[in-house]
Amino acid sequence: MAIGLYKEKRIAEALEQYRAVLIRKPDNIETLFNLAIILEETGEYAEAAGLYFKLLLVQKSISGLDWRISNTLLNLAQIGKDGFKLAKDFVRGWIKNFPDNPVVKHTFATLMGEKETNIKSYIKALFNDFAESYDSKMTELKAIAIEETISLIPQKKYTDILDLGCGTGAFASHFSDEYKTLTGVDLSEEMINQASKTSKYTSLVTNDVLAFLKKNNHLCADFEHYL
């Protein structure tokens, strides 16, 4: 019933229903997660964070949970001194229990004003988790960067193509098959896995593109804005 109320935009009633269920079943994963999402969406970041951390105790392996916690804490930190202090208290406990998690380490460094020590691990984790939904999200956002870039490329036959930051391989789909080699490079293993499904590449490499460029003198236009 609560999910139906939420879909009908009857947010206050949905919250009431979820809280009632939570009183009876305080460790119910679905209720905890759905209630936390609604609270996050309505700007109740402190309460949402508390529920997300409770979820970590109940079940650590929920997909996307780390990103939701990170986003919630960063938003909480922006609503005044009290919110900032509470966000830092939350993240201190988080990193104490998950010291090697790249999302936790990045959030901690951001809130504490510390220098990020291993940004590549964070980027890899971000795009690994984003890989399966990346294309649908770009479609939803009506992204036109690839089409605009392709329109600027002279229409001629290319023998060898290097696609840096190839992601899911969306760029490659715009090329004809009249090339000798098409090499895709990406830091994210999951992005490389998605790119392999296009069957367009002659080779795919999981690597940091700057490290790759030290050995190869090429550049891909669709990657430049990330630099």
Side-chain angles (χ1 to χ4, degrees):
M1 183 177 179
I3 190 66
L5 292 169
Y6 173 70
K7 289 179 179 179
E8 293 174 5
K9 308 297 183 182
R10 296 161 64 182
I11 305 302
E13 293 172 81
L15 287 171
E16 184 179 346
Q17 286 288 331
Y18 275 124
R19 287 186 170 118
V21 173
L22 204 59
I23 291 172
R24 300 194 304 271
K25 300 178 180 179
D27 293 330
N28 183 276
I29 294 172
E30 182 179 355
T31 302
L32 283 167
F33 194 51
N34 289 341
L35 178 55
I37 288 174
I38 297 174
L39 289 167
E40 180 188 353
E41 291 179 354
T42 55
E44 299 293 336
Y45 301 120
E47 189 177 354
L51 292 178
Y52 283 139
F53 281 112
K54 185 172 182 178
L55 274 168
L56 280 178
L57 298 176
V58 178
Q59 186 168 331
K60 300 177 183 179
S61 60
I62 297 174
S63 177
L65 184 56
D66 289 340
W67 304 106
R68 286 199 168 274
I69 292 174
S70 178
N71 183 67
T72 299
L73 294 185
L74 294 174
N75 280 317
L76 176 61
Q78 296 181 54
I79 59 175
K81 291 183 178 180
D82 289 342
F84 188 44
K85 180 181 182 301
L86 185 56
K88 291 198 292 185
D89 289 341
F90 271 126
V91 82
R92 287 190 188 99
W94 197 18
I95 201 167
K96 182 178 180 180
N97 289 284
F98 301 91
D100 299 321
N101 185 309
V103 181
V104 183
K105 291 167 71 174
H106 177 78
T107 309
F108 181 85
T110 301
L111 289 173
M112 296 300 177
E114 297 183 359
K115 184 178 180 180
E116 179 70 67
T117 57
N118 194 359
I119 192 64
K120 290 181 184 178
S121 294
Y122 173 75
I123 293 171
K124 182 185 290 189
L126 173 61
F127 283 99
N128 276 344
D129 285 349
F130 197 22
E132 286 191 10
S133 62
Y134 182 84
D135 288 336
S136 63
K137 287 295 183 183
M138 292 301 102
T139 299
E140 183 181 323
L141 293 171
K142 299 180 180 179
I144 60 171
I146 292 177
E147 288 77 8
E148 290 291 323
T149 302
I150 288 292
S151 71
L152 299 174
I153 298 176
Q155 297 300 307
K156 67 177 185 177
K157 181 178 179 179
Y158 291 90
T159 304
D160 300 289
I161 304 170
L162 177 62
D163 188 1
L164 293 176
C166 66
T168 61
F171 196 88
S173 66
H174 290 268
F175 285 101
S176 68
D177 294 327
E178 298 178 351
Y179 50 79
K180 182 179 178 181
T181 65
L182 173 55
T183 302
V185 183
D186 203 283
L187 182 63
S188 164
E189 298 94 339
E190 291 303 317
M191 284 291 192
I192 289 292
N193 288 339
Q194 294 296 318
S196 68
K197 297 177 182 179
T198 67
S199 301
K200 298 284 288 187
Y201 294 90
T202 54
S203 64
L204 286 163
V205 181
T206 303
N207 198 358
D208 171 64
V209 295
L210 296 181
F212 183 88
L213 284 171
K214 288 181 180 179
K215 298 181 180 180
N216 299 271
N217 187 26
H218 302 282
L219 187 62
C220 177
D222 192 44
F223 177 75
E224 288 180 323
H225 59 284
Y226 290 107
L227 300 178

